[in-house]
Coordinates of all heavy atoms in Angstrom, one line a residue:
M1 N 0.8 -1.2 0.0 CA 0.0 0.0 0.0 C 0.9 1.2 0.0 O 1.9 1.3 0.7 CB -0.9 0.0 1.2 CG -1.9 1.1 1.3 SD -3.0 1.1 2.7 CE -3.7 -0.4 2.6
N2 N 0.5 2.2 -0.8 CA 1.3 3.5 -0.9 C 1.2 4.2 0.5 O 0.2 4.2 1.1 CB 0.6 4.3 -1.9 CG 1.3 5.6 -2.2 OD1 1.7 6.3 -1.3 ND2 1.4 6.0 -3.5
I3 N 2.3 4.8 0.9 CA 2.4 5.4 2.2 C 1.5 6.7 2.3 O 1.2 7.2 3.3 CB 3.8 5.8 2.7 CG1 4.5 6.7 1.7 CG2 4.6 4.5 2.9 CD1 5.8 7.3 2.2
H4 N 1.1 7.2 1.1 CA 0.3 8.4 1.1 C -1.2 8.0 0.9 O -2.0 8.9 0.7 CB 0.7 9.3 -0.1 CG 2.1 9.8 0.1 ND1 2.5 10.7 1.0 CD2 3.2 9.5 -0.6 CE1 3.8 10.9 1.0 NE2 4.2 10.2 0.0
T5 N -1.6 6.7 1.0 CA -3.0 6.3 0.9 C -3.7 6.9 2.0 O -3.3 6.8 3.2 CB -3.1 4.8 0.8 OG1 -2.4 4.4 -0.4 CG2 -4.5 4.4 0.7
K6 N -4.9 7.4 1.8 CA -5.8 8.0 2.8 C -7.0 7.1 2.9 O -7.4 6.4 1.9 CB -6.2 9.4 2.5 CG -5.0 10.4 2.3 CD -4.3 10.6 3.5 CE -3.2 11.7 3.3 NZ -2.5 12.1 4.4
H7 N -7.6 7.1 4.0 CA -8.9 6.4 4.3 C -10.0 7.4 4.4 O -9.8 8.3 5.2 CB -8.7 5.5 5.5 CG -7.6 4.5 5.5 ND1 -7.8 3.2 5.2 CD2 -6.3 4.7 5.6 CE1 -6.7 2.6 5.2 NE2 -5.7 3.5 5.4
L8 N -11.0 7.2 3.7 CA -12.2 8.2 3.7 C -13.4 7.5 4.4 O -13.6 6.3 4.2 CB -12.6 8.6 2.3 CG -11.6 9.5 1.6 CD1 -12.2 9.9 0.2 CD2 -11.3 10.8 2.4
L9 N -14.1 8.3 5.2 CA -15.3 7.8 5.8 C -16.4 8.8 5.4 O -16.3 10.0 5.6 CB -15.1 7.8 7.3 CG -16.3 7.4 8.2 CD1 -16.8 6.0 7.8 CD2 -16.0 7.5 9.6
F10 N -17.4 8.3 4.7 CA -18.5 9.1 4.2 C -19.8 8.7 5.0 O -20.2 7.5 5.0 CB -18.7 8.9 2.7 CG -19.8 9.7 2.1 CD1 -19.6 11.0 1.7 CD2 -21.0 9.2 1.9 CE1 -20.6 11.8 1.2 CE2 -22.1 9.9 1.3 CZ -21.8 11.2 0.9
L11 N -20.4 9.7 5.7 CA -21.6 9.4 6.4 C -22.8 10.2 5.9 O -22.6 11.4 5.4 CB -21.4 9.9 7.9 CG -20.2 9.3 8.6 CD1 -20.1 10.0 10.0 CD2 -20.3 7.8 8.8
T12 N -24.0 9.7 5.8 CA -25.1 10.5 5.5 C -26.1 10.5 6.7 O -26.1 9.5 7.5 CB -25.9 10.0 4.3 OG1 -26.4 8.7 4.5 CG2 -25.0 10.0 3.1
C13 N -26.9 11.5 6.9 CA -27.8 11.7 8.0 C -28.9 12.6 7.6 O -28.9 13.1 6.5 CB -27.0 12.3 9.2 SG -26.4 13.9 8.9
R14 N -29.9 12.8 8.5 CA -31.0 13.7 8.3 C -30.4 15.1 8.2 O -29.5 15.4 8.9 CB -32.0 13.6 9.4 CG -32.7 12.2 9.3 CD -33.6 12.0 10.5 NE -34.2 10.7 10.5 CZ -33.5 9.6 10.8 NH1 -32.3 9.6 11.2 NH2 -34.1 8.4 10.8
P15 N -30.9 15.9 7.3 CA -30.3 17.3 7.1 C -30.2 18.1 8.4 O -29.3 18.8 8.6 CB -31.1 17.9 6.0 CG -32.3 17.1 5.8 CD -32.0 15.7 6.4
R16 N -31.2 18.0 9.2 CA -31.3 18.9 10.4 C -30.3 18.4 11.5 O -30.0 19.2 12.4 CB -32.7 18.9 11.0 CG -33.2 17.6 11.6 CD -34.6 17.7 12.1 NE -35.1 16.5 12.6 CZ -35.6 15.5 11.8 NH1 -35.8 15.7 10.6 NH2 -36.1 14.4 12.4
T17 N -29.6 17.3 11.3 CA -28.7 16.8 12.3 C -27.2 16.9 11.9 O -26.4 16.5 12.7 CB -29.0 15.3 12.7 OG1 -28.9 14.5 11.6 CG2 -30.4 15.2 13.3
V18 N -27.0 17.4 10.7 CA -25.6 17.3 10.2 C -24.6 18.1 11.0 O -23.5 17.6 11.3 CB -25.5 17.7 8.7 CG1 -25.8 19.2 8.5 CG2 -24.2 17.3 8.1
L19 N -24.9 19.3 11.4 CA -24.0 20.1 12.2 C -23.7 19.5 13.5 O -22.6 19.4 13.9 CB -24.5 21.5 12.3 CG -23.5 22.5 13.0 CD1 -22.2 22.5 12.3 CD2 -24.1 23.9 13.0
A20 N -24.8 19.1 14.2 CA -24.6 18.5 15.5 C -23.8 17.1 15.4 O -23.0 16.8 16.3 CB -26.0 18.2 16.2
L21 N -24.1 16.4 14.4 CA -23.4 15.1 14.2 C -21.9 15.3 13.8 O -21.1 14.6 14.3 CB -24.1 14.3 13.1 CG -23.6 12.9 12.9 CD1 -23.7 12.1 14.2 CD2 -24.4 12.2 11.8
A22 N -21.6 16.3 13.0 CA -20.2 16.6 12.7 C -19.5 17.0 14.0 O -18.3 16.5 14.2 CB -20.1 17.8 11.7
D23 N -20.1 17.8 14.9 CA -19.5 18.1 16.2 C -19.3 16.9 17.1 O -18.3 16.7 17.7 CB -20.3 19.2 16.9 CG -20.2 20.6 16.3 OD1 -19.3 20.8 15.5 OD2 -21.1 21.4 16.6
E24 N -20.3 16.0 17.1 CA -20.3 14.8 17.9 C -19.2 13.9 17.5 O -18.4 13.3 18.3 CB -21.7 14.1 17.9 CG -21.7 12.9 18.7 CD -23.1 12.2 18.5 OE1 -24.1 12.9 18.4 OE2 -23.0 10.9 18.5
V25 N -19.1 13.7 16.2 CA -18.1 12.8 15.6 C -16.7 13.4 15.9 O -15.8 12.6 16.3 CB -18.3 12.6 14.1 CG1 -17.1 11.9 13.5 CG2 -19.5 11.8 13.8
T26 N -16.5 14.7 15.7 CA -15.2 15.3 16.0 C -14.8 15.1 17.5 O -13.7 14.8 17.8 CB -15.2 16.8 15.7 OG1 -15.5 16.9 14.3 CG2 -13.9 17.5 15.9
D27 N -15.8 15.3 18.4 CA -15.6 15.2 19.8 C -15.2 13.7 20.2 O -14.3 13.5 21.0 CB -16.8 15.6 20.7 CG -17.1 17.1 20.6 OD1 -16.2 17.8 20.2 OD2 -18.2 17.5 21.0
H28 N -15.9 12.8 19.5 CA -15.6 11.3 19.8 C -14.2 11.0 19.3 O -13.4 10.3 20.0 CB -16.6 10.5 19.1 CG -16.4 9.0 19.3 ND1 -16.8 8.4 20.5 CD2 -15.8 8.0 18.6 CE1 -16.5 7.1 20.4 NE2 -15.9 6.9 19.3
L29 N -13.8 11.5 18.1 CA -12.4 11.3 17.6 C -11.4 11.8 18.6 O -10.4 11.1 18.9 CB -12.3 11.9 16.2 CG -13.1 11.3 15.1 CD1 -13.0 12.2 13.9 CD2 -12.6 9.9 14.8
E30 N -11.6 13.0 19.1 CA -10.7 13.6 20.0 C -10.6 12.8 21.3 O -9.5 12.6 21.9 CB -11.0 15.1 20.3 CG -10.8 16.0 19.1 CD -11.3 17.4 19.3 OE1 -11.8 17.7 20.4 OE2 -11.2 18.2 18.4
A31 N -11.7 12.4 21.8 CA -11.8 11.6 23.1 C -11.1 10.3 22.9 O -10.5 9.8 23.9 CB -13.2 11.4 23.5
Q32 N -11.1 9.7 21.7 CA -10.4 8.4 21.5 C -9.0 8.6 21.0 O -8.4 7.6 20.6 CB -11.3 7.6 20.5 CG -12.7 7.3 20.9 CD -12.6 6.3 22.1 OE1 -11.9 5.4 22.1 NE2 -13.5 6.6 23.1
S33 N -8.5 9.8 20.9 CA -7.2 10.2 20.4 C -7.0 9.6 19.0 O -5.9 9.2 18.6 CB -6.1 9.6 21.3 OG -6.2 10.2 22.6
L34 N -8.0 9.7 18.2 CA -7.9 9.3 16.8 C -7.6 10.5 15.9 O -8.3 11.6 16.1 CB -9.2 8.7 16.3 CG -9.6 7.4 17.0 CD1 -11.0 6.9 16.6 CD2 -8.6 6.3 16.8
V35 N -6.7 10.4 15.0 CA -6.3 11.5 14.2 C -7.1 11.4 12.9 O -7.0 10.4 12.1 CB -4.8 11.4 13.9 CG1 -4.4 12.6 12.9 CG2 -4.0 11.5 15.2
A36 N -7.9 12.4 12.6 CA -8.7 12.5 11.4 C -9.1 13.9 11.2 O -9.0 14.7 12.2 CB -10.0 11.6 11.6
R37 N -9.6 14.2 10.0 CA -10.0 15.6 9.8 C -11.3 15.5 9.0 O -11.5 14.7 8.1 CB -9.0 16.5 9.1 CG -8.6 16.1 7.7 CD -7.6 17.0 7.2 NE -7.2 16.6 5.8 CZ -6.9 17.4 4.9 NH1 -6.8 18.7 5.2 NH2 -6.5 17.0 3.7
V38 N -12.2 16.5 9.3 CA -13.4 16.6 8.5 C -13.1 17.4 7.2 O -12.6 18.5 7.3 CB -14.5 17.3 9.3 CG1 -15.7 17.6 8.5 CG2 -14.9 16.6 10.6
L39 N -13.2 16.7 6.1 CA -12.9 17.4 4.8 C -14.1 18.2 4.4 O -13.9 19.3 3.8 CB -12.7 16.3 3.7 CG -11.4 15.5 3.9 CD1 -11.3 14.5 2.7 CD2 -10.2 16.4 3.9
L40 N -15.3 17.8 4.6 CA -16.5 18.5 4.1 C -17.7 18.0 4.8 O -17.8 16.8 5.2 CB -16.6 18.1 2.6 CG -17.7 18.8 1.8 CD1 -17.4 20.3 1.7 CD2 -17.7 18.3 0.4
Y41 N -18.7 18.9 5.0 CA -20.0 18.5 5.5 C -21.0 19.5 5.0 O -20.7 20.6 4.7 CB -20.0 18.4 7.1 CG -19.9 19.7 7.8 CD1 -21.0 20.4 8.2 CD2 -18.6 20.2 8.1 CE1 -20.9 21.6 8.9 CE2 -18.5 21.4 8.8 CZ -19.6 22.1 9.2 OH -19.5 23.3 9.9
G42 N -22.2 19.0 4.9 CA -23.3 19.9 4.5 C -24.5 19.1 4.1 O -24.7 18.0 4.6
I43 N -25.3 19.7 3.2 CA -26.6 19.0 2.8 C -26.6 18.9 1.3 O -26.3 19.9 0.6 CB -27.8 19.9 3.3 CG1 -27.8 19.9 4.8 CG2 -29.1 19.3 2.8 CD1 -28.8 20.9 5.4
S44 N -26.8 17.7 0.8 CA -26.8 17.5 -0.7 C -28.0 18.2 -1.3 O -29.1 18.2 -0.7 CB -26.8 16.0 -1.0 OG -28.0 15.4 -0.6
L45 N -27.8 18.8 -2.4 CA -28.9 19.5 -3.1 C -30.0 18.5 -3.7 O -31.2 18.7 -3.6 CB -28.4 20.4 -4.2 CG -27.5 21.6 -3.7 CD1 -27.0 22.3 -4.9 CD2 -28.3 22.5 -2.8
K46 N -29.5 17.4 -4.2 CA -30.4 16.5 -4.9 C -31.1 15.6 -3.9 O -32.3 15.6 -4.0 CB -29.6 15.6 -5.9 CG -30.4 14.7 -6.7 CD -29.6 14.0 -7.7 CE -30.5 13.1 -8.6 NZ -29.8 12.4 -9.6
G47 N -30.5 15.0 -3.0 CA -31.1 14.1 -2.1 C -31.6 14.7 -0.8 O -32.3 14.1 0.0
Q48 N -31.2 15.9 -0.5 CA -31.6 16.6 0.7 C -31.2 15.8 1.9 O -32.0 15.7 2.9 CB -33.1 17.0 0.7 CG -33.4 18.1 -0.3 CD -32.7 19.4 0.0 OE1 -32.8 19.9 1.0 NE2 -32.0 19.9 -1.0
E49 N -30.0 15.2 1.9 CA -29.5 14.5 3.0 C -28.3 15.2 3.5 O -27.5 15.8 2.8 CB -29.1 13.0 2.7 CG -30.2 12.1 2.4 CD -29.7 10.7 2.1 OE1 -28.6 10.5 1.6 OE2 -30.5 9.8 2.4
G50 N -28.1 15.1 4.8 CA -26.8 15.6 5.4 C -25.7 14.7 5.1 O -25.9 13.5 4.9
F51 N -24.5 15.2 5.0 CA -23.3 14.3 4.7 C -22.1 14.9 5.4 O -22.0 16.1 5.7 CB -23.0 14.2 3.2 CG -22.6 15.5 2.6 CD1 -21.2 15.8 2.5 CD2 -23.5 16.4 2.0 CE1 -20.8 17.0 2.0 CE2 -23.1 17.6 1.4 CZ -21.7 17.9 1.4
I52 N -21.2 14.0 5.8 CA -19.9 14.3 6.4 C -18.9 13.4 5.8 O -19.1 12.2 5.6 CB -20.0 14.1 7.9 CG1 -21.1 14.8 8.6 CG2 -18.6 14.4 8.6 CD1 -21.4 14.4 10.0
V53 N -17.7 14.0 5.4 CA -16.6 13.3 4.8 C -15.4 13.5 5.7 O -15.0 14.7 6.0 CB -16.3 13.8 3.4 CG1 -15.1 13.0 2.8 CG2 -17.5 13.7 2.5
L54 N -14.9 12.4 6.2 CA -13.7 12.4 7.1 C -12.5 11.7 6.4 O -12.7 10.8 5.7 CB -14.0 11.8 8.4 CG -15.1 12.4 9.3 CD1 -16.2 11.5 9.4 CD2 -14.5 12.8 10.6
E55 N -11.3 12.2 6.7 CA -10.1 11.6 6.2 C -9.2 11.1 7.3 O -9.0 11.8 8.3 CB -9.4 12.7 5.3 CG -8.0 12.2 4.8 CD -7.3 13.3 4.1 OE1 -6.7 14.1 4.9 OE2 -7.2 13.3 2.9
F56 N -8.8 9.9 7.2 CA -7.8 9.3 8.1 C -6.6 8.9 7.4 O -6.6 8.4 6.3 CB -8.4 8.0 8.7 CG -9.7 8.2 9.5 CD1 -10.9 8.4 8.9 CD2 -9.6 8.1 10.9 CE1 -12.0 8.6 9.7 CE2 -10.8 8.3 11.7 CZ -12.0 8.5 11.1
S57 N -5.4 9.1 8.1 CA -4.1 8.7 7.5 C -3.9 7.2 7.8 O -3.0 6.6 7.1 CB -3.0 9.5 8.0 OG -3.1 10.8 7.6
A58 N -4.5 6.7 8.8 CA -4.4 5.2 9.1 C -5.7 4.6 8.9 O -6.8 5.2 8.8 CB -3.9 5.2 10.6
P59 N -5.8 3.2 9.0 CA -7.0 2.5 8.8 C -8.1 3.0 9.9 O -7.7 3.3 11.0 CB -6.7 1.1 9.0 CG -5.2 1.0 8.6 CD -4.6 2.3 9.0
I60 N -9.3 3.0 9.5 CA -10.4 3.5 10.4 C -10.6 2.3 11.4 O -10.9 1.2 11.0 CB -11.7 3.8 9.6 CG1 -11.4 4.9 8.5 CG2 -12.8 4.2 10.5 CD1 -12.4 5.0 7.5
P61 N -10.5 2.6 12.7 CA -10.7 1.6 13.7 C -12.1 1.0 13.7 O -13.1 1.7 13.5 CB -10.4 2.3 15.0 CG -9.7 3.6 14.6 CD -10.2 3.9 13.3
T62 N -12.1 -0.3 13.9 CA -13.4 -1.1 13.9 C -14.3 -0.5 15.0 O -15.5 -0.4 14.8 CB -13.1 -2.6 14.1 OG1 -12.2 -3.0 13.1 CG2 -14.4 -3.4 14.0
H63 N -13.7 -0.2 16.2 CA -14.6 0.3 17.3 C -15.3 1.6 16.9 O -16.4 1.9 17.3 CB -13.8 0.4 18.6 CG -12.7 1.4 18.6 ND1 -13.0 2.8 18.9 CD2 -11.4 1.3 18.3 CE1 -11.8 3.4 18.8 NE2 -10.9 2.6 18.5
L64 N -14.6 2.4 16.1 CA -15.3 3.7 15.6 C -16.4 3.4 14.7 O -17.5 3.9 14.8 CB -14.3 4.6 14.9 CG -14.9 5.9 14.3 CD1 -15.5 6.7 15.4 CD2 -13.8 6.6 13.5
L65 N -16.2 2.4 13.8 CA -17.3 2.1 12.8 C -18.5 1.5 13.6 O -19.6 1.8 13.3 CB -16.8 1.1 11.8 CG -15.8 1.7 10.8 CD1 -15.2 0.6 9.9 CD2 -16.4 2.8 10.0
D66 N -18.2 0.6 14.6 CA -19.2 0.1 15.5 C -20.0 1.2 16.2 O -21.2 1.1 16.3 CB -18.7 -0.9 16.5 CG -18.1 -2.2 15.8 OD1 -18.5 -2.5 14.6 OD2 -17.3 -2.9 16.4
H67 N -19.3 2.1 16.7 CA -19.9 3.3 17.4 C -20.8 4.0 16.4 O -22.0 4.4 16.8 CB -18.9 4.2 18.0 CG -19.4 5.5 18.5 ND1 -20.0 5.5 19.8 CD2 -19.4 6.7 18.0 CE1 -20.4 6.8 20.0 NE2 -20.0 7.5 19.0
L68 N -20.4 4.3 15.2 CA -21.2 5.0 14.3 C -22.4 4.2 13.8 O -23.5 4.8 13.6 CB -20.3 5.4 13.1 CG -19.2 6.4 13.4 CD1 -18.3 6.5 12.2 CD2 -19.7 7.7 13.9
K69 N -22.2 2.9 13.6 CA -23.4 2.1 13.2 C -24.5 2.1 14.2 O -25.7 1.9 13.9 CB -22.9 0.7 12.9 CG -22.1 0.5 11.7 CD -21.5 -0.9 11.5 CE -20.6 -1.0 10.4 NZ -20.0 -2.3 10.2
A70 N -24.1 2.3 15.5 CA -25.1 2.3 16.6 C -25.9 3.6 16.7 O -26.9 3.7 17.4 CB -24.5 1.9 17.9
D71 N -25.4 4.6 16.0 CA -26.0 6.0 16.1 C -27.3 6.0 15.2 O -27.2 5.9 13.9 CB -25.0 7.0 15.6 CG -25.4 8.4 15.9 OD1 -26.6 8.7 15.8 OD2 -24.6 9.2 16.4
E72 N -28.4 6.3 15.7 CA -29.7 6.3 15.0 C -29.7 7.5 14.0 O -30.5 7.4 13.0 CB -30.8 6.5 16.0 CG -31.1 5.4 16.9 CD -32.2 5.7 17.9 OE1 -32.7 6.8 17.9 OE2 -32.5 4.7 18.6
D73 N -28.9 8.5 14.2 CA -29.0 9.7 13.2 C -28.2 9.4 12.0 O -28.4 10.1 11.0 CB -28.4 10.9 13.9 CG -29.3 11.4 15.0 OD1 -30.6 11.3 14.9 OD2 -28.8 12.0 16.0
I74 N -27.3 8.4 11.9 CA -26.5 8.1 10.8 C -27.3 7.1 9.9 O -27.7 6.0 10.3 CB -25.2 7.5 11.1 CG1 -24.4 8.6 11.9 CG2 -24.4 7.1 9.9 CD1 -23.1 8.1 12.5
L75 N -27.5 7.5 8.6 CA -28.3 6.7 7.7 C -27.4 5.7 6.9 O -27.8 4.6 6.7 CB -29.0 7.6 6.7 CG -30.0 8.6 7.3 CD1 -30.6 9.6 6.3 CD2 -31.1 7.9 8.1
T76 N -26.3 6.2 6.4 CA -25.3 5.3 5.7 C -23.9 5.6 6.1 O -23.6 6.7 6.5 CB -25.5 5.4 4.2 OG1 -25.2 6.8 3.8 CG2 -26.8 5.0 3.7
I77 N -23.1 4.6 6.0 CA -21.6 4.7 6.2 C -20.9 4.0 5.0 O -21.2 2.9 4.7 CB -21.2 4.0 7.5 CG1 -21.9 4.6 8.7 CG2 -19.7 4.0 7.7 CD1 -21.8 3.8 10.0
V78 N -20.0 4.8 4.4 CA -19.2 4.2 3.3 C -17.8 4.5 3.6 O -17.4 5.6 4.0 CB -19.6 4.9 2.0 CG1 -18.7 4.4 0.9 CG2 -21.1 4.7 1.7
T79 N -16.9 3.5 3.5 CA -15.5 3.7 3.6 C -14.8 3.4 2.3 O -15.2 2.6 1.5 CB -14.9 2.8 4.7 OG1 -15.1 1.4 4.4 CG2 -15.5 3.1 6.1
C80 N -13.7 4.1 2.1 CA -12.9 3.8 0.9 C -11.5 4.3 1.0 O -11.2 5.0 2.0 CB -13.5 4.4 -0.4 SG -13.6 6.2 -0.4
L81 N -10.6 3.9 0.1 CA -9.2 4.3 0.1 C -9.0 5.2 -1.1 O -9.6 5.1 -2.1 CB -8.3 3.1 0.0 CG -8.3 2.1 1.1 CD1 -7.4 0.9 0.7 CD2 -7.7 2.8 2.4
Y82 N -8.1 6.2 -1.0 CA -7.7 7.0 -2.1 C -6.3 7.4 -1.9 O -5.7 7.5 -0.9 CB -8.6 8.1 -2.4 CG -8.3 9.4 -1.6 CD1 -7.7 10.5 -2.2 CD2 -8.7 9.5 -0.3 CE1 -7.4 11.6 -1.5 CE2 -8.4 10.7 0.4 CZ -7.8 11.7 -0.2 OH -7.5 12.8 0.5
T83 N -5.6 7.7 -3.0 CA -4.2 8.2 -3.0 C -4.2 9.5 -3.8 O -4.5 9.6 -5.0 CB -3.3 7.2 -3.8 OG1 -3.4 5.9 -3.1 CG2 -1.8 7.7 -3.7
P84 N -4.0 10.6 -3.0 CA -4.0 11.9 -3.7 C -2.9 11.9 -4.8 O -1.8 11.4 -4.6 CB -3.6 12.9 -2.5 CG -3.9 12.1 -1.3 CD -3.7 10.6 -1.6
D85 N -3.2 12.6 -5.9 CA -2.3 12.8 -7.0 C -1.1 13.6 -6.5 O 0.0 13.4 -6.9 CB -2.9 13.4 -8.2 CG -3.9 12.4 -8.9 OD1 -3.8 11.2 -8.7 OD2 -4.8 12.9 -9.5
E86 N -1.4 14.7 -5.8 CA -0.4 15.6 -5.3 C -0.7 15.9 -3.8 O -1.8 16.0 -3.4 CB -0.4 16.9 -6.0 CG 0.3 16.9 -7.3 CD 0.2 18.3 -8.0 OE1 0.2 19.3 -7.2 OE2 0.2 18.4 -9.2
E87 N 0.3 16.0 -3.0 CA 0.2 16.5 -1.7 C 0.1 18.0 -1.8 O 0.9 18.7 -2.4 CB 1.4 16.1 -0.8 CG 1.4 14.6 -0.6 CD 0.3 14.1 0.3 OE1 -0.3 14.8 1.1 OE2 -0.1 12.9 0.0
V88 N -0.9 18.6 -1.1 CA -1.1 20.1 -1.1 C -0.3 20.6 0.0 O -0.4 20.2 1.2 CB -2.6 20.4 -1.0 CG1 -2.7 21.9 -0.9 CG2 -3.3 19.8 -2.1
S89 N 0.6 21.6 -0.2 CA 1.4 22.2 0.8 C 0.9 23.6 1.1 O 0.5 24.3 0.1 CB 2.9 22.2 0.5 OG 3.1 22.9 -0.7
Q90 N 0.9 24.0 2.3 CA 0.4 25.4 2.7 C 1.5 26.1 3.4 O 2.3 25.6 4.1 CB -0.8 25.3 3.5 CG -2.0 24.7 2.8 CD -3.2 24.7 3.7 OE1 -3.3 25.3 4.7 NE2 -4.3 24.1 3.2

């Protein structure tokens, strides 16, 4: 596996809960000392669902996925890998 491979976690939820859920997920990550960042969150125009996209540099822990699956506000969970073409420097 390429050392620059990232792990993405894509969540959907009811539109009215997206902001609270993004905060809750961020708080849970910090409490568990998991390093991740929220890339994007909002409400889709077409489906009118809330969404959150998180990026992890390491594999997504199973216990985190189990925690998210138990959350009634989360409608779907999708995980995938990607390798950025270029690293963005700031």
Side-chain angles (χ1 to χ4, degrees):
M1 184 181 302
N2 185 318
I3 61 171
H4 298 290
T5 298
K6 305 290 184 177
H7 301 257
L8 291 181
L9 177 62
F10 180 82
L11 309 172
T12 63
C13 62
R14 291 170 186 78
R16 67 180 176 277
T17 61
V18 70
L19 185 56
L21 188 57
D23 288 341
E24 180 184 322
V25 169
T26 301
D27 291 345
H28 183 79
L29 292 169
E30 289 174 3
Q32 299 293 318
S33 300
L34 297 172
V35 179
R37 67 181 179 146
V38 175
L39 293 180
L40 187 64
Y41 68 92
I43 300 172
S44 68
L45 295 176
K46 186 173 182 178
Q48 291 298 303
E49 289 184 330
F51 66 89
I52 303 169
V53 180
L54 297 117
E55 177 187 71
F56 294 77
S57 294
I60 302 165
T62 304
H63 66 85
L64 174 62
L65 293 174
D66 292 341
H67 173 78
L68 296 172
K69 288 176 186 175
D71 191 320
E72 295 175 353
D73 290 327
I74 297 174
L75 303 175
T76 58
I77 299 171
V78 177
T79 61
C80 63
L81 296 173
Y82 83 101
T83 304
D85 291 336
E86 277 183 33
E87 293 292 330
V88 178
S89 60
Q90 295 184 7

